C-alpha cells in the first residue's frame, strides 16, 4: 500500500534535484515538450543528470540507494553516463541500536547473547542498508561475525516498491523507449534481489557453497578463503560466520608494505573469477573492493578473502559453453563465429542475416584490438556488444548481465592493483584449457564418467527391452486402415454438412421471397 507522506517526500526530492527535467527530456510527446519548455524557463540544471539522480537516490534512503546499485548493473538499458554515476552509490547508513540487534538475535536463536556467546561486541563493526555486523566469540573460543537484519525492513521495502511500480508503469506508457527499457521488469528484478538479501539463510547457503568450491582439500585450496558458516547460530534474520582477518584489497600501499606480490595478486583475482564462472558455474556477483579482502596473517598472507554473499550468479553448461566460445572467437577476431553463436543460441531472431550481425560485431571489436593488449577492456567490449545487439532484438539474459557487471568489477579491481594487467593474456590460456577439457578426449571421458551412474541403472534392462520391442506385434497396418476409415468418414460428414447448408440456404431464400411477395 502506498504511503502519501512518502510520495510527497519523493516528489520534493525529485524537484530539488531537477529530475522533472531529466524525465520530461526523455518523453517524446507534445504535452511533455510544452511542460519541458515551461520547466526550463527557470535556471537550467548546473549538475550532470547522472550526478543529480545519484544524489536524489541517496537522499531518499537505503532502499532507493540499493535500487540505484542494482540499476547500475543494467548497462544494456540505461545510458553510460548515468550507469557510471550510479556505480558510485555507497551504503552510508547509521547503525540501529545495539539493544535492538540483541533482541533480534534472542528472538531468532532462542537465547540472549550473553548465553549464546562468550563475548558479544555491542558496537557494530559495519552498517549497511540491509543489515549490520557485530563481532563475537563463541564459547569454544572461535571468533565470529554476526550479521543482523535491520528491523522492519520488509514493510519499508514493500511500501517503496509499490511506489516504484507505479512510476515504472508511467515510464512504460509515456516514454518513447519505455517498452524497450522494461521498467516494470527492472523493478521486478530489484524486488527479487531485495527479498533474496532479506533472507540471511539464503546468503549463508551461498557462502557455504562457495566455501565448498574452494575447500582446502580441493584442487584450488589457496585461491580464495571463504568463511565457515556457523549453522547453529543462523536464522532468516541472523547470519553467523567465521570472523575473517584481512585488509581491503583497495589499500594497495598497506599490502605492499606487508610484502604482498601485487601483480600476482591481480592475476590471481582474474583466475578466481574465471574459475568460478567456467569450472563451477556459480560466482560471487558483488566483487567490489568493499567485499574483497586480502589476508594479513603470516600463514595465509596474500590470500583473497570473500565477504557478503547476498548476490550470486549461476550459469548452465549451455551458458558456460556459449561464453567460452564467444571469448575465444573474440581473441581470434572470428566475428563470423560470434554472429553464428548468437543465432544458434536463439538469442536473436532466426531471420537475422549472419553477415549483417558479423559487421556490427566487427565495428564494436576492431577499435579495441588496434590498441595495446594491456589497454583493452574485456568488460567494455562485452558492454558495447550488448548495446549494439539492441538493433538486432537480442534478448539479453539476466545471468549474463550479472556476469558482465561482475567482469567489469573484476577488471577494474585488477587494473587498480596492476595498471599493466593484460586481462586477455591472462584469460586466453585458461579458456583454451577449459575448452580442451570439455571438448577434447578428456572432456568426453569426464562426461562418460558423469553419465555412468545413470547407465548402470538401465543397462541391465537393455536385453529385455530389446526383446520386448522385437517381439511386439506389428499394428501399423491396422492403425493405417483405421486412419483411412476415419478420413473417409470425415470427408462424408463434410459433404453432408455442405449439402445440408445448401438446402437450408435455399429454404431460407424461398421463405424470404415468399414474405416479400
Amino acid at each position: 500500500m502506498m504511503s502519501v507522506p512518502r510520495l510527497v517526500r519523493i516528489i520534493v526530492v525529485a524537484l530539488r534535484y531537477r529530475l522533472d527535467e531529466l524525465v520530461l527530456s526523455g518523453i517524446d510527446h507534445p504535452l511533455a515538450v510544452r511542460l519541458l519548455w515551461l520547466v526550463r524557463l527557470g535556471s537550467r540544471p548546473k549538475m550532470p543528470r547522472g550526478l543529480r539522480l545519484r544524489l536524489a537516490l541517496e537522499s531518499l534512503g537505503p532502499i532507493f540507494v540499493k535500487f540505484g546499485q542494482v540499476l547500475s548493473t543494467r548497462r544494456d538499458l540505461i545510458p553510460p553516463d548515468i550507469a557510471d554515476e550510479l556505480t558510485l552509490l555507497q551504503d552510508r547508513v547509521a547503525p540501529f541500536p545495539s539493544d535492538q540487534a540483541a533482541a533480534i538475535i534472542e528472538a531468532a536463536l532462542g537465547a540472549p547473547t550473553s548465553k549464546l556467546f562468550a563475548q558479544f561486541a555491542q558496537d557494530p563493526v559495519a552498517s549497511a542498508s540491509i543489515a549490520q555486523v557485530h563481532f563475537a566469540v563463541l564459547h569454544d573460543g572461535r571468533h565470529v561475525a554476526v550479521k543482523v537484519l535491520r528491523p522492519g525492513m520488509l514493510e519499508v521495502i514493500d511500501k517503496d516498491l509499490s511506489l516504484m511500480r507505479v512510476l515504472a508503469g508511467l515510464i512504460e506508457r509515456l516514454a518513447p523507449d519505455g517498452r524497450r527499457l522494461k521498467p516494470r521488469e527492472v523493478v521486478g528484478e530489484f524486488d527479487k534481489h531485495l527479498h533474496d538479501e532479506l533472507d540471511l539463510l539464503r546468503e549463508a547457503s551461498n557462502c557455504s557453497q562457495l566455501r565448498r568450491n574452494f575447500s582446502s582439500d580441493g584442487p584450488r585450496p589457496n585461491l580464495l578463503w571463504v568463511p565457515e558458516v556457523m549453522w547453529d547460530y543462523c536464522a532468516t534474520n541472523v547470519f553467523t560466520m567465521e570472523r575473517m582477518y584481512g585488509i581491503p584489497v583497495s589499500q594497495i600501499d598497506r599490502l605492499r608494505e606487508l610484502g604482498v606480490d601485487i601483480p600476482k595478486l591481480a592475476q590471481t583475482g582474474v583466475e578466481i573469477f574465471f574459475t568460478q564462472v567456467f569450472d563451477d558455474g556459480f560466482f560471487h556477483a558483488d566483487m567490489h573492493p568493499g567485499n574483497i579482502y586480502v589476508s594479513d596473517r603470516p600463514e595465509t598472507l596474500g590470500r583473497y578473502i570473500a565477504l557478503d554473499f547476498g548476490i550470486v550468479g549461476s550459469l548452465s553448461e549451455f551458458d558456460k559453453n556459449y561464453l567460452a566460445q564467444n571469448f575465444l572467437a573474440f581473441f581470434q577476431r572470428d566475428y563470423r563465429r560470434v554472429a553464428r553463436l548468437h543465432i544458434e543460441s536463439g538469442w536473436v531472431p532466426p531471420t537475422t542475416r549472419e553477415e549483417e550481425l558479423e559487421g556490427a560485431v566487427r565495428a564494436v571489436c576492431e577499435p579495441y584490438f588496434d590498441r595495446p593488449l594491456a589497454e583493452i577492456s574485456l568488460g567494455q567490449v562485452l558492454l558495447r556488444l550488448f548495446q549494439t545487439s539492441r538493433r538486432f532484438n537480442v534478448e539479453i539474459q539476466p545471468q549474463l548481465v550479472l556476469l558482465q557487471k561482475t567482469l567489469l568489477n573484476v577488471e577494474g579491481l585488477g587494473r587498480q592493483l596492476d595498471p599493466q594487467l593484460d586481462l586477455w593474456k591472462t584469460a586466453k590460456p585458461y579458456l583454451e584449457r577449459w575448452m580442451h577439457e570439455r571438448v577434447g578426449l578428456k572432456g568426453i571421458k569426464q562426461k562418460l564418467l558423469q553419465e555412468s551412474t545413470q547407465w548402470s541403472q538401465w543397462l541391465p534392462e537393455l536385453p529385455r527391452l530389446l526383446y520386448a520391442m522385437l517381439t511386439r506385434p506389428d499394428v501399423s497396418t491396422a492403425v493405417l486402415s483405421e486412419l483411412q476409415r476415419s478420413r473417409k468418414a470425415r470427408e462424408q460428414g463434410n459433404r453432408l454438412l455442405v449439402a445440408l447448408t445448401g438446402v437450408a440456404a435455399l429454404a431460407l431464400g424461398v421463405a424470404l421471397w415468399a414474405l416479400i411477395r
Side-chain angles (χ1 to χ4, degrees):
M1 183 177 180
M2 287 194 297
S3 170
V4 175
R6 182 63 167 162
L7 180 59
V8 172
R9 165 71 175 157
I10 292 172
I11 293 173
V12 170
V13 171
L15 293 175
R16 177 185 174 189
Y17 289 100
R18 299 298 307 275
L19 300 188
D20 53 338
E21 189 269 347
L22 189 152
V23 173
L24 290 171
S25 62
I27 299 177
D28 185 16
H29 190 276
L31 179 59
V33 173
R34 290 188 181 93
L35 286 174
L36 182 61
W37 183 80
L38 290 173
V39 166
R40 283 179 172 172
L41 285 178
S43 59
R44 284 177 174 268
K46 296 180 180 179
M47 294 184 290
R49 60 180 182 175
L51 176 59
R52 284 183 281 134
L53 180 58
R54 175 171 68 82
L55 293 175
L57 294 175
E58 287 180 343
S59 298
L60 289 172
I63 304 304
F64 280 82
V65 167
K66 205 73 177 176
F67 178 70
Q69 291 172 343
V70 173
L71 192 63
S72 70
T73 69
R74 298 307 307 266
R75 290 174 175 264
D76 57 313
L77 299 179
I78 61 177
D81 62 315
I82 294 180
D84 290 341
E85 193 65 44
L86 293 183
T87 57
L88 302 177
L89 284 171
Q90 301 292 329
D91 286 333
R92 300 184 181 93
V93 185
F96 57 91
S98 298
D99 56 347
Q100 269 191 298
I104 292 171
I105 294 171
E106 180 176 354
L109 303 182
T113 55
S114 57
K115 288 188 177 180
L116 291 168
F117 308 104
Q119 297 176 27
F120 181 81
Q122 293 296 320
D123 296 329
V125 68
S127 178
S129 58
I130 299 296
Q132 67 186 34
V133 178
H134 295 258
F135 286 150
V137 180
L138 299 180
H139 289 290
D140 60 8
R142 287 180 294 175
H143 290 247
V144 296
V146 185
K147 187 172 185 177
V148 186
L149 196 68
R150 282 183 173 272
M153 286 299 298
L154 186 59
E155 182 181 354
V156 174
I157 284 174
D158 287 340
K159 285 182 179 180
D160 281 348
L161 282 172
S162 66
L163 292 172
M164 289 180 183
R165 291 189 190 97
V166 172
L167 180 61
L170 291 173
I171 292 173
E172 191 167 293
R173 285 194 295 269
L174 298 176
D177 232 11
R179 292 185 181 275
R180 183 186 62 79
L181 293 177
K182 302 177 182 177
R184 286 189 290 186
E185 290 187 20
V186 172
V187 173
E189 184 180 330
F190 175 57
D191 187 350
K192 177 182 177 298
H193 277 307
L194 266 183
H195 282 87
D196 284 352
E197 287 194 63
L198 288 177
D199 184 356
L200 296 188
L201 278 179
R202 179 187 289 269
E203 181 177 348
S205 66
N206 292 339
C207 175
S208 181
Q209 176 67 55
L210 197 64
R211 178 180 172 83
R212 187 160 55 252
N213 291 346
F214 288 89
S215 61
S216 57
D217 55 351
R220 42 183 189 269
N222 298 317
L223 277 182
L224 184 65
W225 188 8
V226 182
E228 179 185 358
V229 178
M230 308 301 171
W231 286 109
D232 292 338
Y233 302 87
C234 291
T236 55
N237 54 355
V238 177
F239 171 24
T240 305
M241 72 193 95
E242 175 187 3
R243 180 176 173 179
M244 311 304 282
Y245 295 89
I247 300 171
V249 69
S250 56
Q251 297 184 10
I252 301 174
D253 291 338
R254 287 184 62 191
L255 293 173
R256 193 174 282 116
E257 289 173 4
L258 290 172
V260 176
D261 187 337
I262 302 301
K264 182 181 178 182
L265 192 67
Q267 291 183 358
T268 303
V270 175
E271 184 181 353
I272 289 172
F273 170 74
F274 281 101
T275 297
Q276 291 181 78
V277 171
F278 292 104
D279 284 349
D280 304 328
F282 182 86
F283 60 95
H284 190 305
D286 202 14
M287 296 178 68
H288 60 76
N291 290 336
I292 303 298
Y293 279 53
V294 178
S295 174
D296 58 357
R297 294 299 174 93
E299 62 274 16
T300 55
L301 182 65
R303 186 174 173 184
Y304 273 103
I305 299 171
L307 299 172
D308 197 343
F309 311 93
I311 303 176
V312 297
S314 297
L315 298 173
S316 65
E317 286 297 323
F318 176 85
D319 292 332
K320 291 191 290 184
N321 184 64
Y322 165 81
L323 284 169
Q325 292 197 54
N326 259 298
F327 282 145
L328 286 175
F330 283 136
F331 292 139
Q332 297 160 2
R333 298 196 186 191
D334 188 353
Y335 306 125
R336 177 58 63 93
R337 179 61 180 154
V338 174
R340 192 174 297 127
L341 283 166
H342 275 69
I343 296 172
E344 290 173 354
S345 70
W347 292 342
V348 294
T351 55
T352 302
R353 293 179 59 189
E354 189 175 290
E355 63 275 12
E356 191 175 340
L357 183 55
E358 176 192 2
V361 174
R362 182 183 295 109
V364 170
C365 298
E366 278 300 310
Y368 287 93
F369 280 113
D370 285 339
R371 306 175 188 174
L373 283 175
E375 297 179 11
I376 298 176
S377 168
L378 186 58
Q380 290 296 333
V381 171
L382 195 59
L383 171 59
R384 284 287 308 281
L385 184 64
F386 282 176
Q387 292 173 336
T388 302
S389 64
R390 291 176 187 167
R391 53 183 282 229
F392 295 95
N393 297 318
V394 175
E395 289 291 331
I396 301 299
Q397 306 300 304
Q399 70 274 21
L400 298 186
V401 174
L402 198 59
L403 176 72
Q404 180 257 332
K405 170 251 187 186
T406 309
L407 178 58
L408 284 172
N409 283 343
V410 170
E411 189 171 45
L413 179 62
R415 292 273 167 85
Q416 185 179 353
L417 292 170
D418 181 10
Q420 298 304 312
L421 174 68
D422 185 346
L423 187 65
W424 299 73
K425 183 178 179 181
T426 306
K428 185 177 178 181
Y430 183 90
L431 291 171
E432 288 176 339
R433 176 178 60 81
W434 185 87
M435 288 295 295
H436 175 71
E437 290 178 352
R438 292 300 186 278
V439 179
L441 293 176
K442 188 175 180 180
I444 295 174
K445 180 182 177 181
Q446 184 177 359
K447 290 179 182 177
L448 289 174
L449 290 173
Q450 288 175 348
E451 297 292 335
S452 61
T453 55
Q454 295 294 326
W455 294 352
S456 63
Q457 295 180 11
W458 58 262
L459 273 176
E461 301 178 10
L462 187 59
R464 178 176 59 79
L465 295 173
L466 286 173
Y467 176 78
M469 185 181 66
L470 293 173
T471 56
R472 185 182 302 159
D474 185 7
V475 295
S476 58
T477 304
V479 171
L480 182 60
S481 299
E482 183 63 30
L483 289 174
Q484 289 175 344
R485 281 196 297 271
S486 297
R487 187 181 65 181
K488 288 180 180 178
R490 187 169 61 254
E491 290 174 351
Q492 289 176 356
N494 290 340
R495 286 195 294 269
L496 180 61
L497 180 62
V498 170
L500 290 174
T501 303
V503 170
L506 180 61
L508 180 62
V510 171
L512 290 174
W513 178 76
L515 289 172
I516 292 172
R517 290 190 53 134

